[in-house]
Amino acid sequence: MRAVVLVGGFGTRLRPLTNDLPKQMLPVVRVPMIERVVDVLGSYGVTEAVLSLGYRPDAFIGAYPDGVCAGVLLHYAVEPEPLDTAGAVRFAALSAGIDDTFIVVNGDVLTDLNVAELWDFHKSHGAEGTIALTPVEDPSRYGVVPIDDEGRVIEFVEKPAPGTAPTNWINAGTYVLEPSVLDRIASDRKVSIERETFPAMVADESLFALHSDAYWIDAGTPDTYLRAQLDLIDGVRANEVAVLPSDEIDSSAIVENSVLGADVVIGNGTIVRNSILMDGVTIGPGVRIHDSIIASGARVGPDSHISNLTVVGADVEVPAQSELTGARLPESD
Ligand code: GDD
Ligand code: MG
């Protein structure tokens, strides 16, 4: 089985974390996001992952120099320019010579969804494409997908205005596709699979979808990037190690429900809750950090208060007594 993994986006919603690294190379409890995604695919029998690259392809190629990630063979397809989701699938699939049924995943989705079940459903329904669906509270930032009793897609509405979605089952970003889908995608311009290809398949009644209630999160925003990691340490998805032996936490400091990378230093009286501190972060004394993300090598000066999804970029120096709430440092345009 072969899978195209879309990892070419700019990750704008995660700036400044994505100023230097593509979104899927960011750590998720110390493991690059792409590795977690490919690992799950491998567990369902995917032997080759075709990485559809655009933004900062060298970060991936440098991280997996022998072309293997989580035991799965990688094929790199680097777009000359961003082709949008369908254009990217076409470019990557053709570059890897895909000519049989294949899988596509959005590389920023962390999920335990059963790919084998999706594959079998696709085959038994004679579908041209099959989409996994997951339920969410607010469907307006996703692709909304109502289906009929047989699982045929009735409509595909990408990012509907709030309050207008016909259902709260949304596109989970995992598809099984026939190679004939590639023939539907123009080669000379950007094409969105959500806004163009899927609606055309709906019109031809060849698109199906399957509900799944497996763990699912799109880690592409500060809120969900944080939550995806807390879910891996607090038992919601797993119970991975939150703090490492190389971390130096002052005995008077409190670290609660937070993920620490390697060599993190935390000063006396400091409190860290529901937050991510990546490798080599240094936090001075008397600091409060709540619901925030501090990237590798950043330093936070004494008596600072950081909260409400503040994101501090790599190697940033936060001055003493800073008050940051919902902030992005450095600010990006
Ligand atoms: N190669 C390449 N080229 N990859 C791209 C491009 C491109 O031009 N544009 C986006 N991507 C990649 C991103 O890196 C990401 O892994 C994936 O395609 C999806 O893009 P996002 O920017 O994360 O889309 P989204 O989260 O707003 O919406 C998509 O995902 C939702 C589920 O997580 C849509 O597919 C929605 O319909 C879906 O519900
Ligand atoms: Mg996304």
Side-chain angles (χ1 to χ4, degrees), residues 32-333:
M33 194 182 293
I34 183 67
E35 223 163 300
R36 292 189 178 267
V37 171
V38 170
D39 187 40
V40 172
L41 291 174
S43 76
Y44 284 106
V46 168
T47 49
E48 185 180 345
V50 183
L51 298 195
S52 164
L53 304 169
Y55 178 59
R56 301 211 171 223
D58 292 351
F60 296 93
I61 298 165
Y64 306 103
D66 55 355
V68 178
C69 171
V72 174
L73 199 65
L74 297 179
H75 176 102
Y76 299 113
V78 184
E79 282 163 30
E81 62 201 341
L83 295 171
D84 208 341
T85 43
V89 168
R90 181 180 188 279
F91 182 85
L94 295 186
S95 116
I98 287 180
D99 55 5
D100 206 348
T101 312
F102 64 107
I103 295 165
V104 174
V105 298
N106 286 347
D108 61 347
V109 169
L110 298 165
T111 179
D112 295 326
L113 106 87
N114 189 328
V115 179
E117 197 187 341
L118 190 72
W119 183 278
D120 292 345
F121 179 94
H122 174 85
K123 290 289 182 184
S124 67
H125 285 69
E128 187 184 14
T130 303
I131 304 174
L133 305 181
T134 189
V136 293
E137 259 171 45
D138 174 14
S140 65
R141 44 172 286 232
Y142 301 103
V144 179
V145 189
I147 58 175
D148 71 13
D149 293 343
E150 271 121 64
R152 204 181 295 267
V153 174
I154 297 168
E155 201 186 0
F156 192 108
V157 203
E158 182 67 10
K159 304 200 171 76
T164 66
T167 169
N168 70 337
W169 288 92
I170 59 109
N171 168 20
T174 299
Y175 322 130
V176 180
L177 301 180
E178 292 304 310
S180 63
V181 174
L182 303 174
D183 302 331
R184 294 174 172 273
I185 304 167
S187 59
D188 52 352
R189 60 177 171 87
K190 291 186 177 196
V191 183
S192 158
I193 203 163
E194 297 87 354
R195 296 181 194 276
E196 190 170 333
T197 316
F198 286 157
M201 292 168 72
V202 170
D204 291 345
E205 303 188 346
S206 65
L207 188 63
F208 286 73
L210 180 64
H211 291 162
S212 161
D213 54 14
Y215 177 89
W216 184 91
I217 194 164
D218 173 335
T221 65
D223 168 34
T224 56
Y225 176 61
L226 176 59
R227 188 142 40 86
Q229 300 187 65
L230 300 185
D231 286 349
L232 282 167
I233 60 159
D234 65 8
V236 169
R237 188 180 182 203
N239 279 303
E240 296 187 12
V241 173
V243 174
L244 296 180
S246 68
D247 298 324
E248 278 176 48
I249 304 174
D250 187 274
S251 57
S252 66
I254 298 172
V255 176
E256 227 176 62
N257 197 39
S258 296
V259 176
L260 273 49
D263 305 314
V264 170
V265 178
I266 298 183
N268 64 63
T270 284
I271 302 177
V272 178
R273 286 204 172 96
N274 308 328
S275 293
I276 311 296
L277 312 182
M278 296 185 200
D279 293 347
V281 162
T282 300
I283 312 289
V287 172
R288 303 272 174 284
I289 300 181
H290 287 187
D291 310 303
S292 293
I293 302 166
I294 317 289
S296 316
R299 305 173 74 87
V300 176
D303 304 313
S304 294
H305 293 167
I306 297 184
S307 65
N308 194 20
L309 290 176
T310 289
V311 181
V312 175
D315 302 317
V316 167
E317 303 263 345
V318 178
Q321 296 173 12
S322 295
E323 300 283 336
L324 301 174
T325 167
R328 302 275 180 280
L329 273 190
E331 280 175 39
S332 45
D333 16 82

